Structures are given as C-alpha cells and as structure tokens.
Amino acid sequence: MTQWQMILYICIAVLVTILVRGLPFLVFRNGQAPSFILWTGKRLPAAAMAMLVIYCMKDISFGTVGEWMPTLAACVLTVVLHASFRKMVISICGGTALYMILLHIL
Amino acid sequence: MRDKTHVLRRAFPVTVPVLAGYIFLGIAYGIAMRARGFGALWSYSISTFIYAGSLQFAMIEPLRSAFAPLTFAFLCLLIQARHLFYGLTMLEPYSRTGAVRPYLIFSLTDETYSIVCQGAPADILPERWYLTVSALDHAYWVLGTLLGALLGSLIPMDLLRGIDFSMTALFLVIVTEQTMDALTAWRSGKESLFDALFSPVLGGLTTLLSLLLFGKDSFLLIAMAAMIMGFSVKYAQERRGNSA
C-alpha cells in the first residue's frame, strides 16, 4: 500500500466509527425518538454492560487451567467484593490485582 | 475556574479504571505499530481521530496488506457496530449539551459509555460532566499510544501485564451494581423479579449464546439483533399490561 492508500484507510475507519456512534442521534434528531427507542435506551445499559463483560472474555481459551482460571477467579472476587462493600475502587483494584498476580504466577 | 477543577476532581476518580486500561492498551498499540514500521505520528493520529481500541488493533495488518477499501470498510462496520447501541441511551441526556455534543458523540467508546450511561451527578452541570469524562478517557488513550510509540521497549510491559483487566472489572462492577439495585426494587415490591433482572439477563444470555453458536467474528451483531427483539417483545407486553 502507498502512504495515500493508508491515509484513505484511516479516513474510512474514522468515517465508519463516527457514523456508527452518531447514527442514533442522526436518525432521531432533537430527541424526537419513538417511545420504544427511549424505553429501550433506558434499559440498555444493564444489557450492554453484560454484553461487554462477555465481549472482554471472547478470546479466552479452555486449554490449560492457566488460560481461564485467572479471569474466572478475578471476576468472582470483583463481584464478591462489590456485593459486600459496594465500593467501586475496592472491587476493581481487588479484582485487577488478583488477575495480575495470577498471570505472573501461572 | 474553581468550578472546573471541582468537576475534574470529581470525574477523575471515576475514570481511574479506564486510565489503567487505556494507558496500558495504548502503550501496547504504540509498540505494536512501531514494531510494524509505523512512526509515532501515525499511531498518534490514528488514536486521536479513530479512537477505537479494538478496531485500531484489528486494522494494523490490513494497513500493510493489499488495498481493498470496501472489504476494509465492512471490517470496520463489523467491529464498530456495537457502538450503535450506546447512542440510544444517550439520545436524551446528550440532547441538551450544546456545542460539545458532536465531540461527546464522537468519543462515545465502550468505557466512556459505561460511565456516562449512569447519568451526571446532581450538583454538576450535565454537559460539563460528560465532557470531562469523555475528554479524560480520550486523553488517556492518546497518551498511552504516544508512550508506546516513543518509548517502546523501555516500558516494562511484563510487569503491567493484566492491568487492562480493570476495564472488564469496571463493566462487571456496573452489572453487579445494577443487579443489586434491581434486586432491591424487587424486594420492596416495586418490580417483579422478572422485570428487575430482564435487561442484564437478556444482554448476558444473548451474547453468550451467540458467541457459542456463531463464534467470535460475528457474534455481537447477532446478539444485538436478538437483544432488540427481546426488548420489543417485553415492550409490547408492558404496553398490553398498561392498557388492559
């Protein structure tokens, strides 16, 4: 590829990204969205967060224990910490620290 | 001015998990680009203007392969499609944000959405909150990229390995938080258990099932379609319930 072709690729990526992120705002201008869309938008965060958790784990493999155990253990700890203390900092730091330690040991 | 530092002081702690993840992944991106012969100006511009982690990593190889713009545009669409969802939630909150609105829409990444979808604190002007969170996240990503592109192998990446789990943890904490709120609503009799857990269970199940059935290349689009169907069935059912 020439340099100009690479720049064109970057422009394509920029345009597609803006288009995808902006499409709902473009289609439903001035907040004139049908009530189903607004209703869904309000319920979407919980569904989207669950989707993102799984999206983050899509590359996990189940070959050896070392490949899936750190993720599983860190997720469990994060949820348990959050259910007990309900402090974001504690849950995220605890889960991430355990994950990093397990990665280094295993 | 004091007001601005006040917002910054409140917004910064909330974005720390994103800071850890974006700096680390940004460094990894800068290093990966450098290893394939792209200088700092390339990775800096890409991180500033595309600002989409998974797409940026996925396009490193296409950038060095044969020129096929249509295939490439399709690849971008496939990877980015999940962002279509986020605007639906932010339609109303972002409708009154004035001049910064285009920037807020441009910078609506997964991680920024996970923070702004929770709304702005009551004592802070919403557009100022959204702008501060969005710009901080964007800055972390660009800063990480620059660090990786300029310093490269000087950074002890092995020590930091796994720190990007902070972003998975962030999403997980928000799911937990929302689920606990929903359970409280159920216990106090405000909602049925089915209504309370509908969204997280729908999102989790459709995504998991479609990952298992269709593999990791196209599962998100299918999961999103299934989610919209699930929501429309639930919406129709609630409407009937209201009019009856």
Side-chain angles (χ1 to χ4, degrees):
Chain A
M1 268 212 271
T2 67
Q3 212 163 51
W4 287 108
Q5 288 175 326
M6 288 181 199
I7 291 173
L8 187 67
Y9 260 41
I10 295 172
C11 293
I12 292 174
V14 171
L15 279 179
V16 171
T17 305
I18 291 178
L19 186 76
V20 169
R21 285 178 188 163
L23 198 63
F25 298 93
L26 209 68
V27 174
F28 308 113
R29 237 170 282 187
N30 326 318
Q32 301 267 331
S35 63
F36 167 64
I37 295 295
L38 297 176
W39 182 92
T40 304
K42 287 212 180 70
R43 277 152 194 79
L44 211 49
M49 290 305 125
M51 169 183 94
L52 284 174
V53 169
I54 292 167
Y55 179 70
C56 287
M57 297 173 189
K58 68 178 190 321
D59 293 313
I60 252 183
S61 57
F62 291 91
T64 62
V65 178
E67 284 170 286
W68 55 267
M69 201 275 281
T71 311
L72 182 71
C75 285
V76 171
L77 181 71
T78 307
V79 171
V80 169
L81 282 176
H82 200 71
S84 352
F85 302 107
R86 273 195 120 155
K87 284 263 179 259
M88 215 156 166
V89 192
I90 299 179
S91 331
I92 293 177
C93 289
T96 308
L98 178 69
Y99 183 72
M100 292 174 74
I101 292 167
L102 287 174
L103 272 196
H104 284 275
I105 308 176
L106 293 172
Chain B
M1 201 58 218
R2 245 178 77 196
D3 196 38
K4 270 186 191 150
T5 44
H6 168 71
V7 178
L8 201 60
R9 211 172 285 157
R10 290 276 297 279
F12 176 73
V14 180
T15 63
V16 167
V18 184
L19 168 81
Y22 274 15
I23 295 271
F24 176 78
L25 289 178
I27 293 174
Y29 178 70
I31 291 177
M33 284 289 279
R34 190 174 136 129
R36 288 164 182 83
F38 291 100
L41 187 62
W42 283 98
S43 22
Y44 169 79
S45 316
I46 290 178
S47 280
T48 304
F49 296 114
I50 302 183
Y51 186 31
S54 35
L55 173 60
Q56 287 179 222
F57 276 103
M59 68 185 275
I60 295 179
E61 282 313 313
L63 268 181
R64 306 194 313 153
S65 317
F67 185 66
L70 274 180
T71 320
F72 178 70
F74 187 70
L75 172 84
C76 297
L77 200 61
L78 207 63
I79 295 175
Q80 295 298 72
R82 66 184 187 284
H83 289 162
L84 266 178
F85 263 15
Y86 306 157
L88 297 182
T89 307
M90 303 316 291
L91 274 175
E92 277 194 318
Y94 280 3
S95 66
R96 293 171 298 271
T97 50
V100 297
R101 192 163 170 262
Y103 176 74
L104 295 180
I105 296 171
F106 157 78
S107 58
L108 197 53
T109 60
D110 300 320
E111 290 73 17
T112 299
Y113 172 71
S114 74
I115 296 173
V116 296
C117 75
Q118 304 175 62
D123 58 327
I124 294 175
L125 207 62
E127 67 250 42
R128 197 164 281 180
W129 175 258
Y130 296 136
L131 178 66
T132 310
V133 168
S134 305
L136 278 175
D137 289 354
H138 196 180
Y140 304 150
W141 180 242
V142 174
L143 183 69
T145 305
L146 270 178
L147 283 174
L150 295 173
L151 301 178
S153 50
L154 289 176
I155 300 164
M157 288 303 269
D158 196 52
L159 267 178
L160 296 174
R161 205 155 57 97
I163 199 171
D164 54 316
F165 184 83
S166 64
M167 297 194 300
T168 311
L170 172 68
F171 301 143
L172 205 55
V173 162
I174 298 169
V175 177
T176 314
E177 184 72 29
Q178 284 166 340
T179 310
M180 288 171 75
D181 280 343
L183 288 177
T184 313
W186 165 61
R187 272 197 220 100
S188 64
K190 267 188 223 137
E191 269 186 314
S192 71
L193 186 62
F194 178 74
D195 283 350
L197 295 179
F198 184 79
S199 295
V201 171
L202 177 72
L205 272 185
T206 49
T207 314
L208 189 64
L209 279 178
S210 86
L211 175 61
L212 294 175
L213 288 173
F214 304 104
K216 62 183 179 184
D217 289 326
S218 53
F219 74 106
L220 271 186
L221 274 182
I222 299 163
M224 286 167 66
M227 253 179 263
I228 289 294
M229 279 199 289
F231 277 126
S232 51
V233 170
K234 181 88 174 68
Y235 178 74
Q237 177 224 336
E238 270 188 27
R239 285 231 123 169
R240 266 204 311 277
N242 285 343
S243 58

